[in-house]
Structure formats: C-alpha cells, structure tokens
Amino acid sequence: MSTLQQAVPIPSPKMHGNPSLSMQHQMQSQSLFSSVSIPPPNPASSQSSSNKVPRTGSPSPVHVQRQCHRPPQNQGTVRTSTAMVMASVSPSNSSPVSISYQDHSSPHDKEASYVHIQSPSAKRTRSQTVHECPYDDISNDENAQESGIKLVHLLMACAEAIQNDELAAAVDMVREIKRLASCTSGAMSKIASYFAESLSQRIYPASKDNWARIYEAEAVSEMLYASFYEACPYLKFAHFTANQAILEAFQGHKVVHIIDFNLMQGSQWPELIKALAVRSEGPPHLRMTGIGPPRPDNKDVLQEVGVKLAELAGSVNVEFSFRGMVAAKLDDVKPWYFEVKPGEAIAVNSILQMHRLLYGHVASDPSKALIDEVLSSIKSLNPKVVTVVEQEANHNSNMFLERFVEALHYYSTMFDSLEASSLDPLGPEMVCSEMYLGREIANIVAREGAERVERHEPLSAWRKRMSNAGFKQVHLGSNAFDQVSYMLKYFSGEGYTVEENRGCLTLGWHNRPLIAASAWECG
C-alpha cells in the first residue's frame, strides 16, 4: 500500500469555533509525498513514462484522459504542464473519481541528465575520522572547543583575504580549515567543511560548474528537501502556519483557489484538504495551481503530484481541480495564466521563494525591481490571503564579508539544531539534511549576480516591502501558535522556540529566530 493510501483513512478532527488544523493528525500522517524515495530514472523509459499515471490501488477507480497541445506563443518560458486534474465527488465514496488533464508540452525534448548520490558508508565512524587526524593535540574532547574557535577565526580570516583579493593566502587558509575540520567532531566541523568548500568555489569559479551539476539537479533537490522536511521542524512550521492562515481566510467561501509558488512534492496540502473536508459549513470546491521548475528529463512531476492530491480529495469528498505550471522563474508567470474565475477566494502561498526575486529588474521597465513586479501581479489577483515564509536572516548584502559573517552565524545555529536531533549522525537523512543547508551556503558564499538566488532578508524588511506593495498584515492567531508549540514536542532537542512577533510567528533555536511566517491581505 502506498504512503498516500495509508494516510487517507486517518480521521480529520471535527471543527469547533474558529477553524484550526490538528497538529496531532498532521504529525501522525507525516509527509504524504516527501517520504517517497526517488530512484534514478531509466533514460530509456523517461520519455514514455511521462505519458503514464502511476496506479496506486486506490479504493476508488481512477480514469485518466490526456490531451497534448503545443505551448501557447504568449507564455514564453512558462508552460502549463498539467492543465487540469479534477476529482468529481459523488455522495458515495465507492463512486469513480474522474480525472482529466491536458499537457502543453515543449516541442523540443532536451537530453536527460541523471545524478545518483551515494550516502556515506555506515561502517565509517567518528573514531576512524579522528584516527586520520594529523593534529593529535586537538583530537580529544578537552580541546574540541579550542579547535572550534580556531576554525571560526580561520574562516573569518579567509573571507577577509578573499575580499581583499589576497587569493594565495586564502588558498592556504582553506587548506588549513579542511585539515582542522577533518579531526574535529560536532556541528562546527561540518559547518567549517561546507564553508571551506564554498570559499574554494569562490576562489576557483570553474569548480562551481561541477558542483552545480550534482547538487542543483532537480531530482537531487527533491531528495534533499524531503530529508530536511523530516529531520527538523522548520519546513513543517512553514507549512502549518501557512495552512492555518489559508483555512481561516477561506471561511464562508464555496469556491477557493490556492496558487502555490513551489509545489515540490505537495507535502503541504493533504492536511489542509482534510481540514476543508470537515468544515462545519461543508467542503468547498478547491482549485489548485502548482508552480514548479522544469526538469532536464521533461518528467511531469507536477502531474503526478496533482493526481495524488486529486485521489486524496476524492476520498474525503472535496471537489478538486489542479493545474501545474512549469516555470524557470516566478517572474515569468503572469496573472492571466491562473484563469481566475469570478467569485472564487484566492490564496497565494510562498514558502521560501520570495527572496529569489530580490535581484534584477523588469526587462520592459528597468526602473522596476522584479520583486515589485511580482507583488503587483499578486495584488491584481485580489487574494484573500498571501502567506509568506522566509529565512529570518540578512544574506543580501552586497559586501561579501558582511554577508559571510551573517551566514556563518545563521548556519552554525542551524547545524547546532540538527546536531541535537535523534538522527544517526552518519545516517542518510542527516547527511542529506546537511547537504540541503550546504547548497544554500554555497550559493550565498560562492555566487554573485543573477546566480546568487539565496538572498534572504529579515522579517522587518518583508514587512516594509509588503506594506509598500499595498498589502496589510493579517495576524496569525493563537491557534497557529498553540499548534506549532505542540508540534515541537515531536522533535528531540529542547532548544526550539516559537515566538510571536507583532502578529507574525518565528521558529528558532535557543532564542535565535531562524524562520519567520507572515500572512497578508490586500489593503
């Protein structure tokens, strides 16, 4: 039985008073889609597999029809991968669920590229790593703190040397950092290794291409995302707070439309669908538009996620329709692509995506920033709510050293929280979670210009930007605060803290906020 089928029978809580999501049921069901393993695809079958919908033995028969069309000329780099996935619900759960969708495929297929990552061998242990250490005097716990301080000093000195264009000295320091990190245990050794590798990429730009081919491949991104989702509460916090705001905004509306700026594996939406199913006023008709990046193998991942969501919606008697949009950049997506219908309540959901729009200007109007153009497009949809979750950090400084110092403090805290978890330090889930953060570090440290997309800014900056764009803040209520606090009990480590910040919520580690959630409506 698939993960989806196992999760469907979990009963949703009855609604009393203000709508709220049950954190207990959300944690029981875990991630419906992020936990699915991603095997390396078979190049010989990649093209034909895009024309098939996986059958999962659903309790209701699923009938699929597919139509292919050429991409509309006016959409540029955006194509509607899954034009429509629908779940038609009848009073009987045994009735067939009818699903139809259209695929606007690109006429030119690109050669697929595949990446396979092998996790470190479980036979490798910390004692073996320490045994290889050339520094006998720091390989014991007594001097671990001293070596950690030395690593920080070396990292800072190396970054300063790079800023001053003293590359020969920087190369020597990178070599020293790697040697010292190899014989130091704990989070500091890991963070030093990732920052040293990122500094190497900045010194030797050609090395970035090899790194990008592996760690920026879309299939790898999904695998790392899934591991990070399960390992720590940050992404669950993002999904839950956003879902709670959307659920409350949809109260009293019979037709609702969610626009998700980064659908990924759809792990955010099963719990919201089940919560909508048990509304005291009855479930609405739910439309969903999911945006995702193109795949090198042209695999229609959005279609697969849409079919699974449709099956789930049908099982709980929620009318559902889905469209997927493949877009390399969010600013390529225009408001009319969403085909908004009169009378529907719209929610725009952005989880860790807005910061990617903080570089560049509109081609037709160089005086207008991309982020302002996208926020203007969102406002033109007149949404009931816009949910924004972003890293609580300032990694958008043009000064390299300033950005480096901020990133070093931020990700040291992130790695500390991972280290306190109950995960096997050398297990694949821990390794992939660290790689997930390592990719962000590399982008912040080694990239510049349009290539640097991890341009995180703090909540105060987003408040100002959203207000200037004509949005008014919606206070995240006590339901979200209480349920997030309850969620943290499922994670080992007592250092996680949730705080209310002028109507927004932040999640941090030992009083250092690391991620911030906010909700907005048209002013």
Side-chain angles (χ1 to χ4, degrees):
M1 183 176 290
S2 67
T3 307
L4 176 66
Q5 290 171 292
Q6 291 173 355
V8 168
I10 296 177
S12 298
K14 297 297 182 182
M15 309 291 290
H16 299 285
N18 293 330
S20 63
L21 294 167
S22 168
M23 196 67 247
Q24 183 176 4
H25 285 88
Q26 184 165 350
M27 298 306 298
Q28 285 176 347
S29 63
Q30 295 295 321
S31 168
L32 296 189
F33 307 116
S34 63
S35 60
V36 178
S37 61
I38 306 173
N42 182 2
S45 61
S46 62
Q47 192 163 356
S48 61
S49 64
S50 64
N51 293 326
K52 298 179 182 179
V53 176
R55 298 183 180 273
T56 58
S58 171
S60 300
V62 178
H63 305 291
V64 179
Q65 296 177 340
R66 181 180 178 116
Q67 298 176 347
C68 296
H69 302 277
R70 293 181 179 178
Q73 296 297 321
N74 63 344
Q75 289 195 3
T77 57
V78 178
R79 63 183 177 91
T80 306
S81 167
T82 307
M84 192 64 66
V85 176
M86 302 183 65
S88 303
V89 179
S90 60
S92 172
N93 281 335
S94 61
S95 300
V97 178
S98 175
I99 298 178
S100 64
Y101 54 89
Q102 297 175 331
D103 183 13
H104 299 268
S105 302
S106 170
H108 305 290
D109 292 333
K110 296 182 179 180
E111 183 180 356
S113 60
Y114 307 106
V115 177
H116 176 65
I117 288 184
Q118 184 175 359
S119 300
S121 171
K123 296 182 180 179
R124 181 177 175 87
T125 65
R126 289 186 186 276
S127 60
Q128 290 173 312
T129 303
V130 173
H131 180 71
E132 298 166 0
C133 176
Y135 300 99
D136 294 333
D137 60 326
I138 63 169
S139 60
N140 54 64
D141 294 338
E142 186 176 307
N143 296 312
Q145 185 174 1
E146 180 182 345
S147 61
I149 294 173
K150 185 177 180 180
L151 281 170
V152 171
H153 289 167
L154 279 170
L155 286 166
M156 299 283 287
C158 184
E160 187 173 4
I162 290 175
Q163 178 159 293
N164 295 333
D165 205 26
E166 300 169 355
L167 299 186
V171 169
D172 290 339
M173 282 185 275
V174 166
R175 190 179 297 115
E176 178 73 5
I177 291 166
K178 290 181 177 180
R179 282 200 296 262
L180 185 57
S182 69
C183 53
T184 305
S185 62
M188 193 60 234
S189 68
K190 297 176 181 179
I191 195 77
S193 297
Y194 278 107
F195 271 89
E197 177 61 31
S198 301
L199 289 167
S200 296
Q201 292 175 30
R202 189 174 181 92
I203 296 171
Y204 302 107
S207 66
K208 293 187 294 186
D209 297 333
N210 293 330
W211 183 91
R213 277 199 297 270
I214 298 176
Y215 295 106
E216 293 182 0
E218 193 57 36
V220 175
S221 296
E222 293 178 1
M223 181 179 67
L224 302 185
Y225 179 94
S227 296
F228 188 71
Y229 183 94
E230 296 296 343
C232 51
Y234 301 110
L235 293 177
K236 286 184 172 69
F237 163 85
H239 290 174
F240 183 78
T241 52
N243 282 357
Q244 185 64 44
I246 293 170
L247 182 65
E248 293 176 5
F250 281 171
Q251 249 188 313
H253 294 276
K254 295 182 178 179
V255 181
V256 298
H257 185 176
I258 296 173
I259 299 171
D260 188 355
F261 276 1
N262 188 30
L263 184 66
M264 291 298 287
Q265 297 149 355
S267 54
Q268 178 173 351
W269 304 118
E271 291 307 317
L272 180 61
I273 290 173
K274 289 189 281 187
L276 290 171
V278 295
R279 292 195 316 180
S280 58
E281 61 204 274
H285 175 91
L286 172 60
R287 294 185 63 205
M288 183 173 290
T289 300
I291 301 173
R295 295 281 294 247
D297 56 1
N298 283 332
K299 185 178 181 181
D300 198 344
V301 177
L302 299 178
Q303 165 205 317
E304 296 176 2
V305 174
V307 169
K308 290 180 180 180
L309 290 174
E311 290 174 347
L312 174 61
S315 72
V316 294
N317 282 339
V318 173
E319 291 187 67
F320 179 86
S321 58
F322 176 89
R323 296 178 75 238
M325 289 189 181
V326 178
K329 299 183 297 181
L330 280 177
D331 52 288
D332 290 332
V333 181
K334 305 306 177 186
W336 54 87
Y337 293 1
F338 299 117
E339 299 181 357
V340 173
K341 298 179 180 179
E344 67 181 15
I346 297 173
V348 177
N349 182 66
S350 175
I351 307 296
L352 309 181
Q353 294 301 305
M354 289 285 195
H355 63 260
R356 295 173 171 266
L357 299 165
L358 295 180
Y359 180 86
H361 298 81
V362 180
S364 59
D365 184 4
S367 65
K368 192 170 188 179
L370 286 180
I371 182 64
D372 295 332
E373 174 73 5
V374 171
L375 290 178
S376 177
S377 296
I378 293 173
K379 194 169 187 296
S380 70
L381 299 172
N382 194 30
K384 293 292 295 183
V385 68
V386 180
T387 51
V388 178
V389 181
E390 287 289 336
Q391 289 89 343
E392 182 60 7
N394 185 11
H395 299 147
N396 197 25
S397 172
N398 290 326
M399 297 294 295
F400 168 70
L401 186 58
E402 181 179 333
R403 190 169 75 242
F404 182 90
V405 172
E406 172 68 18
L408 183 59
H409 285 295
Y410 180 86
Y411 286 101
S412 294
T413 308
M414 270 285 190
F415 271 74
D416 282 341
S417 70
L418 272 179
E419 193 77 6
S421 72
S422 58
L423 296 176
D424 177 2
L426 296 176
E429 193 169 82
M430 176 67 87
V431 171
C432 288
S433 298
E434 292 166 354
M435 288 173 61
Y436 176 89
L437 298 174
R439 291 194 320 158
E440 294 183 359
I441 293 170
N443 189 269
I444 294 167
V445 173
R447 304 295 179 107
E448 291 293 350
E451 289 185 335
R452 181 159 61 87
V453 296
E454 299 296 344
R455 297 174 173 268
H456 312 147
E457 290 192 353
L459 179 59
S460 57
W462 288 108
R463 274 201 183 100
K464 183 177 180 181
R465 184 174 288 111
M466 296 296 289
S467 297
N468 290 342
F471 292 97
K472 182 174 66 175
Q473 186 177 320
V474 177
H475 282 234
L476 296 173
S478 59
N479 276 336
F481 183 93
D482 294 341
Q483 296 290 344
V484 168
S485 299
Y486 182 80
M487 174 193 70
L488 296 180
K489 297 179 181 179
Y490 286 83
F491 291 88
S492 59
E494 298 179 353
Y496 292 111
T497 55
V498 56
E499 296 179 357
E500 194 273 340
N501 184 330
R502 293 167 50 195
C504 304
L505 291 181
T506 64
L507 177 62
W509 179 253
H510 289 302
N511 298 318
R512 163 69 196 258
L514 296 172
I515 188 170
S518 60
W520 304 84
E521 62 185 4
C522 293

